[in-house]
Amino acid sequence: MVSRDTPLSALRLVIVVLGVGTLSIPTSTSAQETAPAIESITGADLRADLFFLAGDEMRGRLAGSSEGRLASAFIKSRFERLGLTPAAPGGSYYHSFNVVQAEVGEDNRLAVEYDDGRVISKERGQEFYPLRESGSGTAGGQVVFAGFGISAPELGHDDYGAGVAGNVVLILDHEPEETDPESAFDGLVTSEASAAYRKLAAAQEAGAVAALLVTDVHNHPEPGNFSAEAAGYWPETVRRGGRYTLESRLNRIRIPAVRISTALAESLVEGTGRTLAELARGAEAAGGAAPVSLPGLEVMVSADVRREVHTARNVVGLIEGSDPELRDEWVIVCAHFDHDGAEGAMIYNGADDDGSGTVALIEIAEAYAEAARMGEGPRRSVLLAAWDFEEKGLLGAWAYAENPLHPLEQTVAVLNMDMIGRNEEVVVGGGRRFRGLDIQSAESNANAINILGTTRSDDLLSEVQRANTETGLDLRFRYDNHPIQLLRRSDHWPFMQVGVPALFYHTGLHPDYHRQDDIPERINYEKLEKVARLVYQTSWSLAQRPSGPARISMSPPATCPSRRRCPAPRQGTPSLPWQ
């Protein structure tokens, strides 16, 4: 699972606690049909695979490393041996996509020219630095403050209007109402609309020639040392593979984009007669605030960001459906196989994160293959997908969601497994990784699993509860609208953004999360067996039911004051900002 410390498009995350609240649960009239060959999923098999996949020889399966590619080859060989149909183009088990590592070049400059003839020039690290998402080039003009820089028509929110074309935009980090659990921007979860690359794409679409990002000072203080922040953003030495972005995203952004200090931003807005904090508070207006021109100056920006392209690969195998009317509808069962790699003798094995989900995926594939051999295949088709580059920002799952192998309109559900082999444990003094979570012992969660995504789909809530009659786990529904941000931190998230109902199976954070001690010896294999069987049973039921779950909308209609008091989700697949 991606760490909350991992930068996701330069977002910063916020922490509070909220329960799931009340939820209407539809009553199912059909009896539970036990998935065939479910008994083939065993703790012994899971253990055997995990000791290989998360052994020291695999050196943490870092995305883009030789060990990461070995992990994908191992999964591919298992799918092939089980007789799964290759689901990628050209009869391949590998779904390839390109990722980019950004490097900072030499020509990064910013100049402010005032109407009285003064010119103030800055060098990189001196009150500004280019963003990794930036295009390369030079542009300039008058500056317009455009609030949070969000364009979200589905929410009735637009910070651009017609007032930014031909200008440089100054925009804030984050999003409106970020500490409001009733916010239309996904409640307490950081919404996808606030991702930096989406803001830049929206600014470019609105006609802006360059973008300046600054801390939303009415909610977040800027780090005390801007130069140190700039140096940390573009470090001299890259650790554990560095940071990546999808090539398909960066190719769409051409305008130069830089982050500036709050001190520089204050000097830019001075002519409006308002402070940056006052302008920022005004940007919280419902529907977005009107752009504000910053008089008396122009800004020229040069950004030099170089992009190195790498090819990555998901592993995808298909169990083809048996029903002629339903086989073109897919259920996706998935997990990610990459982890954090190694630094010398220090190995981040990633046994729970997400070796546990990956070996469960292989066992579920084996159960489906065995059922098919017995003549009891599923009615719908089931895609078994092992994602790459999850730890770098869910990039493998995003690559699929943005360029799917099968129409998303015919993808009825996604079941994602990430960290399913331990007990949730939150200790005193655990640090910011656990901030906002209640102190909990591992024993109190011995038979428990967190299920996320159910507040967006009553249908999936009903299905997982029915499936659990076979396994008897303690299902906990507590983290959907919670600032620990678990809802957005694994591979179901991209599918939720495009309207596909999705669940996240997660036995919880623990002190070994993203540490050296996440090793195969510490996995609870009896519990892992039960969770894998739960996911298999849920996927089987979804593959058999006469109609698929209702499509979801991550955002309520603009007329809805609260997601939890909203009418039924809209039908159809939301568009990404550049589609």
Side-chain angles (χ1 to χ4, degrees):
M1 185 178 68
V2 71
S3 169
R4 65 169 297 107
D5 296 323
T6 300
L8 292 176
S9 303
L11 296 178
R12 298 189 177 107
L13 307 178
V14 185
I15 303 278
V16 197
V17 177
L18 184 78
V20 73
T22 58
L23 190 62
S24 173
I25 303 173
T27 302
S28 174
T29 57
S30 59
Q32 176 71 41
E33 173 192 356
T34 301
I38 194 169
E39 69 283 351
S40 70
I41 299 172
T42 69
D45 287 348
L46 291 159
R47 188 178 193 277
D49 281 342
L50 190 55
F51 266 78
F52 169 74
L53 195 65
D56 284 354
E57 295 79 5
M58 294 296 287
R59 294 190 58 79
R61 309 182 307 279
L62 184 69
S65 70
S66 58
E67 293 85 6
R69 294 183 73 81
L70 178 59
S72 67
F74 169 70
I75 300 163
K76 179 253 189 186
S77 70
R78 296 298 293 274
F79 284 2
E80 190 170 32
R81 192 173 77 189
L82 291 169
L84 274 61
T85 300
S92 175
Y93 289 99
Y94 293 133
H95 170 238
S96 297
F97 58 98
N98 287 340
V99 295
V100 171
Q101 278 186 307
E103 296 180 358
V104 65
E106 298 298 326
D107 186 20
N108 292 282
R109 294 171 285 111
L110 184 148
V112 183
E113 183 175 351
Y114 293 90
D115 287 352
D116 61 9
R118 289 179 296 136
V119 177
I120 298 176
S121 297
K122 306 289 184 181
E123 299 296 327
R124 177 171 70 90
Q126 185 187 39
E127 302 213 66
F128 92 97
Y129 57 85
L131 298 175
R132 285 182 286 270
E133 299 88 349
S134 175
S136 290
T138 300
Q142 294 183 326
V143 184
V144 175
F145 175 72
F148 288 94
I150 292 174
S151 177
E154 69 278 9
L155 297 176
H157 187 100
D158 181 22
D159 284 320
Y160 294 107
V164 303
N167 295 313
V168 176
V169 292
L170 172 64
I171 55 181
L172 301 168
D173 280 339
H174 304 116
E175 62 192 49
E177 305 173 320
E178 65 173 271
T179 60
D180 182 358
E182 303 293 340
S183 169
F185 289 90
D186 292 328
L188 295 174
V189 178
T190 301
S191 73
E192 195 61 27
S194 69
Y197 76 93
R198 293 186 185 273
K199 293 186 179 189
L200 299 183
Q204 181 175 281
E205 180 67 21
V209 299
L212 316 175
L213 270 70
V214 69
T215 300
D216 48 338
V217 292
H218 65 306
N219 289 325
H220 298 276
E222 184 180 38
N225 188 330
F226 185 85
S227 295
E229 178 187 306
Y233 189 89
W234 293 107
E236 293 291 331
T237 302
V238 175
R239 297 182 61 211
R240 285 188 261 167
R243 295 165 180 166
Y244 294 81
T245 308
L246 287 179
E247 182 188 37
S248 57
R249 292 176 177 173
L250 293 192
N251 283 349
R252 293 179 173 93
I253 298 173
R254 299 176 300 276
I255 61 173
V258 303
R259 175 171 295 281
I260 66 173
S261 69
T262 55
L264 178 56
E266 289 287 6
S267 70
L268 297 181
V269 306
E270 188 175 334
T272 67
R274 287 183 278 177
T275 65
L276 179 62
E278 289 170 338
L279 287 170
R281 283 191 289 270
E284 298 275 353
V292 177
S293 294
L294 309 186
L297 56 85
E298 292 188 359
V299 168
M300 183 70 67
V301 179
S302 290
D304 184 4
V305 177
R306 298 161 190 180
R307 299 170 179 175
E308 182 178 345
V309 179
H310 305 266
T311 299
R313 60 191 192 188
N314 300 318
V315 189
V316 286
L318 189 70
I319 296 289
E320 296 184 78
S322 60
D323 189 318
E325 295 184 2
L326 295 179
R327 66 184 303 164
D328 286 338
E329 296 183 3
W330 287 15
V331 176
I332 297 178
V333 182
C334 60
H336 74 89
F337 61 85
D338 65 304
H339 191 58
D340 279 355
E343 292 177 311
M346 186 181 296
I347 300 173
Y348 299 88
N349 299 76
D352 195 24
D353 186 11
D354 186 28
S356 61
T358 303
V359 297
L361 182 72
I362 293 170
E363 280 292 286
I364 292 168
E366 184 173 342
Y368 270 112
E370 179 64 21
R373 282 193 291 270
M374 297 188 303
E376 298 184 59
R379 298 177 68 191
R380 287 182 176 83
S381 297
V382 179
L383 183 72
L384 290 304
W387 309 120
D388 199 359
F389 277 78
E390 189 271 356
E391 298 290 359
K392 302 300 184 181
L394 320 181
L395 299 185
W398 270 117
Y400 184 101
E402 295 182 7
N403 186 26
L405 297 174
H406 193 69
L408 292 173
E409 293 82 359
Q410 294 175 282
T411 302
V412 301
V414 170
L415 307 181
N416 174 47
M417 301 171 287
D418 195 348
M419 296 180 63
I420 57 171
R422 296 280 296 267
N423 299 334
E424 183 163 0
E425 182 181 5
V426 182
V427 299
V428 175
R432 71 180 301 272
R433 298 187 303 154
F434 304 96
R435 196 170 66 216
L437 294 178
D438 293 335
I439 303 302
Q440 304 168 56
S441 68
E443 291 74 19
S444 70
N445 292 300
N447 194 48
I449 182 170
N450 300 299
I451 309 293
L452 289 85
T454 57
T455 58
R456 314 301 170 103
S457 174
D458 285 356
D459 286 336
L460 291 189
L461 173 61
S462 178
E463 287 292 354
V464 75
Q465 289 180 318
R466 289 176 59 237
N468 192 48
T469 61
E470 297 289 331
T471 47
L473 286 159
D474 297 330
L475 306 185
R476 297 185 176 171
F477 309 96
R478 51 185 174 175
Y479 292 138
D480 270 20
N481 192 4
H482 191 294
I484 193 61
Q485 304 284 343
L486 287 173
L487 186 66
R488 67 162 295 128
R489 286 166 57 188
S490 192
D491 291 311
H492 58 288
W493 176 258
F495 294 94
M496 297 179 81
Q497 301 305 307
V498 290
V500 180
L503 292 183
F504 174 20
Y505 298 77
H506 175 60
T507 52
L509 301 180
H510 48 77
D512 297 336
Y513 165 58
H514 276 232
R515 295 292 187 263
Q516 285 180 273
D517 291 327
D518 184 9
I519 55 178
E521 290 84 352
R522 298 194 175 191
I523 296 297
N524 180 340
Y525 290 98
E526 181 181 354
K527 182 174 184 178
L528 179 56
E529 174 188 296
K530 293 174 73 173
V531 175
R533 289 187 177 193
L534 173 65
V535 176
Y536 176 49
Q537 181 66 57
T538 312
S539 67
W540 176 265
S541 298
L542 287 166
Q544 299 303 94
R545 57 184 281 168
S547 59
R551 307 294 287 185
I552 67 169
S553 172
M554 284 296 286
S555 303
T559 56
C560 175
S562 163
R563 178 178 292 103
R564 289 180 289 163
R565 296 193 294 273
C566 283
R570 300 166 304 175
Q571 300 298 307
T573 301
S575 295
L576 295 166
W578 43 72
Q579 293 180 322

